[in-house]
Amino acid sequence: MKYSIRKFILSDKIEILSMMKEFYSSDAVFTNGSDKIFERDFDACVQNSPFVEGYVFTDDKNILGYAMLAKSFSTEFGKPCIWLEDLYLKTEYRGNGIIPTFIKYVETQYKDCILRLEVEEENLHAVHVYEKSGFSRLPYVEMKK
C-alpha cells in the first residue's frame, strides 16, 4: 500500500476530529476525551505549538489515520522525550505496516530522544506492534492529577 505521512492542515479538521471521537470511544484508551479537548489538540497542532505535532497518514485521496507527538524532557533518561499519542488507523487500513513506518519516521526526525507511548495492556495487537518496533514495557504505574 502506498501512503505518505504529513502534518495536519486546517482542511483535515472535520475528519481528524471524527477519528479522535472514534479513537477515544474505543477500548484502546482509558479516557473518553471531549469535543473541547479534541478541538484544542487539533488547534495546537495546526498553530505550530512547541509542545505537540499532528500527523496524518494519507494515500493522497483519503486520510487513513492520524497520530500526535507530545514533546517533553525525561529526567529519568536525561534527554528529550517524544510521546507518541493517538496512534490511530481506520479499521480498513490496519495491518499494512503504517504504524511501524511512522515510528521509524519519528526515530529519524528525533534521533537523540527517548520515545514513549501508552497502550492498554488488553490491546494485544498494538502491544505486539510496539514491541516489534523496539518498545519495552516499563514496570510502574503512571499517575495524574
Side-chain angles (χ1 to χ4, degrees), residues 7 11 16 20 51 58 65 68-69 75 79 100 103 111-112 116 119 126 129 132 137 140 142-143:
K7 287 191 174 183
S11 61
I16 290 172
M20 287 177 173
F51 305 111
T58 177
M68 290 188 285
L69 304 179
T75 58
K79 58 169 112 179
I103 291 168
K111 292 186 188 316
D112 193 32
R116 294 184 76 164
V119 61
V129 168
K132 197 171 175 184
R137 297 172 193 230
Y140 50 80
E142 184 170 333
M143 300 174 74

Side-chain angles (χ1 to χ4, degrees), residues 15-127:
E15 190 161 2
I16 290 172
L17 293 179
S18 175
M19 288 186 290
M20 287 177 173
K21 288 177 188 178
E22 185 172 329
F23 179 66
Y24 278 89
S25 65
S26 76
D27 293 338
V29 291
F30 181 70
T31 59
N32 292 332
S34 70
D35 289 344
K36 187 176 181 178
I37 291 171
F38 304 149
E39 290 259 351
R40 279 196 317 238
D41 290 349
F42 181 86
D43 292 345
C45 289
V46 296
Q47 293 169 358
N48 297 317
S49 166
F51 305 111
V52 65
E53 295 176 1
Y55 292 88
V56 293
F57 318 117
T58 177
D59 66 5
D60 296 327
K61 294 179 186 175
N62 304 298
I63 293 178
L64 315 177
Y66 79 98
M68 290 188 285
L69 304 179
K71 302 172 185 180
S72 66
F73 187 88
S74 172
T75 58
E76 181 178 1
F77 297 102
K79 58 169 112 179
C81 179
I82 301 296
W83 282 89
L84 287 83
E85 301 274 358
D86 293 25
L87 295 164
Y88 175 82
L89 289 173
K90 294 177 181 174
T91 306
E92 61 269 30
Y93 302 113
R94 295 176 186 165
N96 288 299
I98 295 170
I99 296 302
T101 299
F102 180 67
I103 291 168
K104 288 177 186 168
Y105 172 84
V106 173
E107 288 173 327
T108 62
Q109 297 299 308
Y110 295 97
K111 292 186 188 316
D112 193 32
C113 294
I114 188 85
L115 300 184
R116 294 184 76 164
L117 55 79
E118 295 175 356
V119 61
E120 291 296 320
E121 197 169 10
E122 297 80 21
N123 192 345
L124 299 178
H125 178 73
V127 169

